[in-house]
Amino acid sequence: MSRILDQRILLLVISFAVSVQSTKVLSKWKKCGDPECEKAMSRVQATTDYLGPDCRYLNFKTGEEIIVYSKLSRENENLWTGSKGKDFGYFPRDAVKVEEVLIGEEVEMLTKETDFLCLNEDKYNFE
């Protein structure tokens, strides 16, 4: 009985650690193509396969096309946000090459806590 309780406690601790990680604010600032972050900024192509650490990240294979909608700035400039088909998430900018720039000027703004929530099956995943 004690062993089962220990396993349940361990699973609870692991679950809590994963939920904290997946709601962590990755940057206080971001750059977008417009004040609503709705305008596509650029079209990029994956130069390597990428598998993100949690559900906030976009997974892709070499050669796939991604549309970029925002770029984290200041303290974490390596992560961009984009979509591939119906999938949306963060990815490292060094895993892609820019094929086409679609905007003339970037707008920098504060991020929101909702920028860092997981999207699963068109619903927010509040952890």
Side-chain angles (χ1 to χ4, degrees), residues 30-41 69-70 88 107 109-110 112 115:
K30 65 182 174 182
K31 293 180 182 177
C32 298
D34 64 285
E36 291 78 33
C37 278
E38 295 176 352
K39 189 181 287 187
M41 298 178 74
Y69 288 94
S70 70
F88 186 85
V107 179
M109 64 190 66
L110 287 168
K112 302 174 204 159
D115 289 338

Side-chain angles (χ1 to χ4, degrees), residues 5-17:
L5 184 59
D6 289 346
Q7 289 174 342
R8 287 184 180 175
I9 291 171
L10 179 61
L11 286 173
L12 182 63
V13 169
I14 291 170
S15 175
F16 177 74

Side-chain angles (χ1 to χ4, degrees), residues 30-91:
K30 65 182 174 182
K31 293 180 182 177
C32 298
D34 64 285
E36 291 78 33
C37 278
E38 295 176 352
K39 189 181 287 187
M41 298 178 74
S42 59
R43 184 176 54 80
V44 300
Q45 184 176 41
T47 57
T48 186
D49 292 355
Y50 178 73
L51 180 61
D54 63 50
C55 59
R56 296 174 299 168
Y57 292 81
L58 182 66
N59 300 322
F60 49 79
K61 301 236 182 257
T62 303
E64 290 186 307
E65 183 177 279
I66 301 163
I67 303 299
V68 177
Y69 288 94
S70 70
K71 303 172 181 179
L72 295 184
S73 61
R74 297 190 188 191
E75 65 264 14
N76 193 358
E77 295 186 352
N78 185 47
L79 289 177
W80 290 0
T81 311
S83 67
K84 174 190 66 129
K86 64 177 184 156
D87 297 328
F88 186 85
Y90 291 94
F91 59 91

Side-chain angles (χ1 to χ4, degrees), residues 17-30:
V18 169
S19 74
V20 168
Q21 176 187 4
S22 66
T23 57
K24 180 181 170 193
V25 173
L26 301 171
S27 177
K28 291 182 182 176
W29 295 91
K30 65 182 174 182

